[in-house]
Amino acid sequence: MSAPIGSFADARPAPDCLAELVAPVAEAVRGWRGGVPAREIVYVDTDPAVADTAAFVERYGQELLGQSANCVVVAAKRGGETTLAACLVPSAGRADVNGAVRRRLGARKVSFAPMATAVELTGMEYGGITPLGLPADWPLLVDAAVGDMPYVLVGSGRRRGKLIAPGKLFAQIPGAEVIEGLTLAP
């Protein structure tokens, strides 16, 4: 099979390679009930040494910068309470944590969650966090631009490998909310 975007030597439907995924992501793929069929989620094997966006697009193709999204975990604080959430934004930009994210979460202050917290609570590797398989009680804020992409490359839960899926799939994840203007331009 060839991937719908990019040139990858190994591309397979994600339901056929659950062993390559961390447990929460494998479970999310196995139990997927959204309008986009699970077989349209494609796993591509990639070099874990170049998992971060800049190194990844340098190795696999600059065009992927406009076809990928980053999932970042944020901590929203208000009145002594902390709420964790995830934001899915185009890789070419960055989440507007002090504007759109703060307002949507009703927080006084929002910052990126500590790496150790994000890794522990998602069950995923840093540099591979993906919106599929996040804790069910977390809000998932999806930039509208991601949903408009024909296909989007995201993390797989590990530094090795990525997932590619139609952009509209990410709006169908339980707890997802599509938000215009969630991303700041670079």
Side-chain angles (χ1 to χ4, degrees):
M1 142 177 240
S2 62
I5 57 174
S7 296
F8 301 96
D10 183 5
R12 297 172 274 158
D16 294 349
C17 54
L18 298 176
E20 304 294 329
L21 305 172
V22 295
V25 178
E27 190 164 316
V29 170
R30 186 182 307 107
W32 178 251
R33 300 288 178 262
V36 173
R39 294 198 66 74
E40 289 189 34
I41 305 168
V42 176
Y43 172 82
V44 293
D45 189 36
T46 59
D47 182 351
V50 294
D52 297 325
T53 303
F56 187 86
V57 298
E58 184 175 321
R59 167 88 173 269
Y60 292 100
Q62 289 294 323
E63 74 281 359
L64 292 172
L65 183 61
Q67 300 171 316
S68 60
N70 289 327
C71 185
V72 295
V73 178
V74 296
K77 297 177 183 176
R78 181 174 185 90
E81 295 289 320
T82 299
T83 301
L84 294 175
C87 301
L88 186 64
V89 299
S91 294
R94 56 185 168 63
D96 181 12
V97 294
N98 293 313
V101 175
R102 184 183 58 75
R103 284 189 301 275
R104 170 54 195 90
L105 296 176
R108 204 174 128 250
K109 180 182 178 180
V110 176
S111 57
F112 294 104
M115 178 178 62
T117 300
V119 167
E120 178 184 349
L121 296 179
T122 63
M124 301 179 200
E125 295 177 6
Y126 185 76
I129 293 176
T130 189
L132 287 165
L134 289 170
D137 60 339
W138 286 14
L140 170 60
L141 309 180
V142 178
D143 190 287
V146 172
D148 291 341
M149 293 179 190
Y151 287 93
V152 183
L153 181 131
V154 296
S156 68
R158 298 173 55 207
R159 289 186 66 81
R160 174 175 211 108
K162 300 285 185 184
L163 298 175
I164 299 172
K168 63 186 175 184
L169 174 139
F170 299 102
Q172 298 171 4
I173 294 172
E177 180 180 346
V178 177
I179 298 176
E180 292 285 342
L182 187 63
T183 306
L184 295 171

